[in-house]
Amino acid sequence: AYPNPFNPVTALNINLPAESVVKVNVYNVAGQMVDAVFSNSLTAGTHSISWDAGKLSSGVYLIRTEAGKNISTQKVMLLK
């Protein structure tokens, strides 16, 4: 995610070696899902997805990206 910390939009860059179904969800530190950012099929290559967290309060969030069998989690900080 870039920028990080951010306010209120950050860009998520995803590199895919092959076409995959991609799901991007955001969780708070308590483990509750607070936003479903993206869920769709993407072609192989580099993709950028924007997340607007304007409706959320300042704090630390975990962005979980699932692409096929690959799962990645990144910690981001929203500063308002």
Side-chain angles (χ1 to χ4, degrees), residues 53-75:
K55 64 184 181 206
L56 299 173
S57 58
S58 294
V60 175
Y61 294 92
L62 301 170
I63 300 174
R64 177 182 163 111
T65 304
E66 298 178 39
K69 295 182 181 179
N70 299 316
I71 299 173
S72 171
T73 304
Q74 183 176 7
K75 188 187 314 184

Side-chain angles (χ1 to χ4, degrees), residues 27-39:
Y27 298 85
N28 62 19
V29 291
Q32 300 165 315
M33 189 169 87
V34 293
D35 201 358
V37 179
F38 187 84
S39 180

